[in-house]
DNA sequence: TCGGAAAACAAACGTATGTTCGTTTACGAG
DNA sequence: CTCGTAAACGAACATACGTTTGTTTTCCGA
């Protein structure tokens, strides 16, 4: 055996990334062996190296692509929103929750596998995460300046909101009781007005 | 060399648990080798087995002890609170945040290393987590029944609140800008009333 | 049609892993 | 003081790991 009939580089590379997302999400990066990954894809361990440089770079690429997409889509959502601070904030929240519902694996990995990256790679991902946080903090400041939002500590408030809005991807199952619109609405209400009647 | 002068079983066992908390929190359970752990404690790898049964049982014990303490302390906090639903909820929130500030390593591990447990151990920890969630859901239902809380989906609301309140242990540093009381107050306000003025 | 690049294989590299074993020495109850 | 046990050691076990290598077969542009 050698090169397999019908084999295609791009398709295999995609399958590797997809399988890696599943395995890392389920077992963690350190607990995913390249032998497991190769078996999931249906190739031999050594063949992975036709498509990835190292295990470390595979993880970094997955995280980097996710952060790039998240930032771009967020900016698009904000650009499409109305000018009112509250509308912009609603738009951010809706996009964040929907994105996290649809790509829970990528999100989970980007949030919890930072420690598996080496120092240089971790720094790059962290910088992108700070960019993302800065967008929300900016929206909170806009709202405070316009007088529609409470003016407590912006940074910690943003952290708390992001934690709440991101939490959805730890329990969400597409087959669940609530549909996506309901989940978005519930989280928007919680963030804006809390649980007190 | 053999048994070391001044060696003491209980002290070593404690040092192992403490070092394990640090290493698992920093690198993850799968990425922590027993050789690293032994080096951190200052003994040889094989000597660990005078104090633990297996690596897996070490993780389970750490998580189980944490969940037991959390449940017991939560019940104590609720028992000490006044009878009004809102007071009880405030008490829950305050205790949760303080506990998570003070034991961020244990919390982080209990939340994110579930996948490293084998099936039977994971089921036991999950059951305790459900117990904890049930306490909050109960409080939300009390509040709804009394008419002081909004009556949206109780389970998802509880998940969102817990995600927000737990998030604090991913960024908190004791040397930070805000003291603990301020962090508790900020999270209580956010949970109850949101960010809208 | 043909030749180089792409993509797979089988096999092996050195190292690290969790764990076990037999041995040695200090501690502490009688 | 004595003796069983606790608690450490050094060494080794089998297995698993990420990665490299050389080879083989298929694909595809000129």
């Amino acid at each position: 055996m050698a090169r397999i009939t019908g084999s295609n580089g791009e398709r295999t590379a995609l399958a590797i990334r997809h399988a890696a997302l599943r395995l890392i999400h389920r077992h963690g990066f350190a607990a995913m062996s390249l032998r497991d990954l190769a078996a999931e894809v249906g190739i031999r361990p050594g063949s992975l190296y036709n498509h990835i440089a190292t295990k470390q770079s595979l993880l970094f690429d997955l995280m980097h692509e996710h952060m790039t997409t998240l930032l771009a889509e967020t900016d698009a959502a904000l650009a499409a929103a109305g000018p009112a601070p509250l509308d912009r904030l609603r738009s951010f929240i809706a996009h964040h929750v929907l994105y996290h519902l649809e790509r829970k694996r990528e999100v989970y990995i980007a949030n919890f596998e930072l420690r598996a990256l080496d120092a240089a790679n971790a720094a790059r991902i962290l910088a992108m995460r700070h960019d993302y946080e800065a967008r929300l903090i900016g929206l909170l400041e806009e709202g405070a300046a316009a007088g529609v939002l409470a003016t407590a500590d912006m940074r910690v408030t943003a952290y708390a909101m992001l934690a709440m809005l991101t939490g959805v991807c730890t329990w969400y199952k597409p087959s669940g009781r609530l549909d996506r619109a309901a989940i978005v609405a519930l989280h928007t209400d919680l963030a804006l007005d809390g649980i007190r009647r």
Side-chain angles (χ1 to χ4, degrees), chain A residues 2-178:
Chain A
R3 178 163 186 174
I4 253 59
T5 312
S7 68
N8 172 283
E10 208 150 338
R11 193 193 322 136
T12 303
L14 246 163
I16 289 172
R17 300 166 67 80
H18 197 259
L21 281 177
R22 286 191 43 237
L23 290 176
I24 298 174
H25 178 251
R26 188 169 319 169
H27 303 117
F29 177 72
M32 175 195 72
S33 80
L34 293 186
R35 283 166 175 80
D36 293 342
L37 177 58
E40 186 89 355
V41 175
I43 60 179
R44 307 289 131 164
S47 304
L48 289 172
Y49 286 83
N50 287 319
H51 307 278
I52 68 172
T54 63
K55 191 190 181 194
Q56 166 79 201
S57 80
L58 167 62
L59 176 61
F60 174 75
D61 288 346
L62 289 174
M63 292 175 69
H64 186 262
E65 181 184 339
H66 161 255
M67 289 305 299
T68 302
T69 309
L70 176 63
L71 285 169
E73 283 195 16
T74 300
D75 287 343
L78 288 180
L86 220 56
D87 287 340
R88 289 168 60 74
L89 186 60
R90 282 183 195 279
S91 181
F92 179 95
I93 293 173
H95 173 266
H96 181 103
V97 173
L98 281 177
Y99 186 95
H100 282 60
L101 289 177
E102 271 158 34
R103 309 182 73 157
K104 49 182 283 193
R105 285 198 279 260
E106 289 89 332
V107 167
Y108 200 88
I109 292 170
N111 280 330
F112 302 123
E113 294 293 0
L114 242 187
R115 60 188 174 188
L117 290 178
D118 59 37
N121 285 338
R124 291 183 59 189
I125 299 297
L126 255 180
M128 299 179 85
R129 185 189 290 184
H130 288 151
D131 275 0
Y132 187 67
E133 293 164 356
R135 295 211 181 11
L136 176 55
I137 293 173
L139 292 176
L140 293 180
E141 284 168 349
E142 283 179 29
V148 295
L149 295 184
T151 53
D153 189 287
M154 295 305 173
R155 176 164 297 277
V156 173
T157 300
Y159 288 164
M161 285 183 63
L162 287 174
M164 180 177 83
L165 300 176
T166 301
V168 81
C169 69
T170 62
W171 56 264
Y172 175 70
K173 298 265 156 51
S175 58
R177 187 161 38 87
L178 273 57

Side-chain angles (χ1 to χ4, degrees), chain A residues 176-189:
Chain A
R177 187 161 38 87
L178 273 57
D179 66 12
R180 294 204 263 237
I183 295 175
V184 168
L186 192 150
H187 282 81
T188 302
D189 290 346

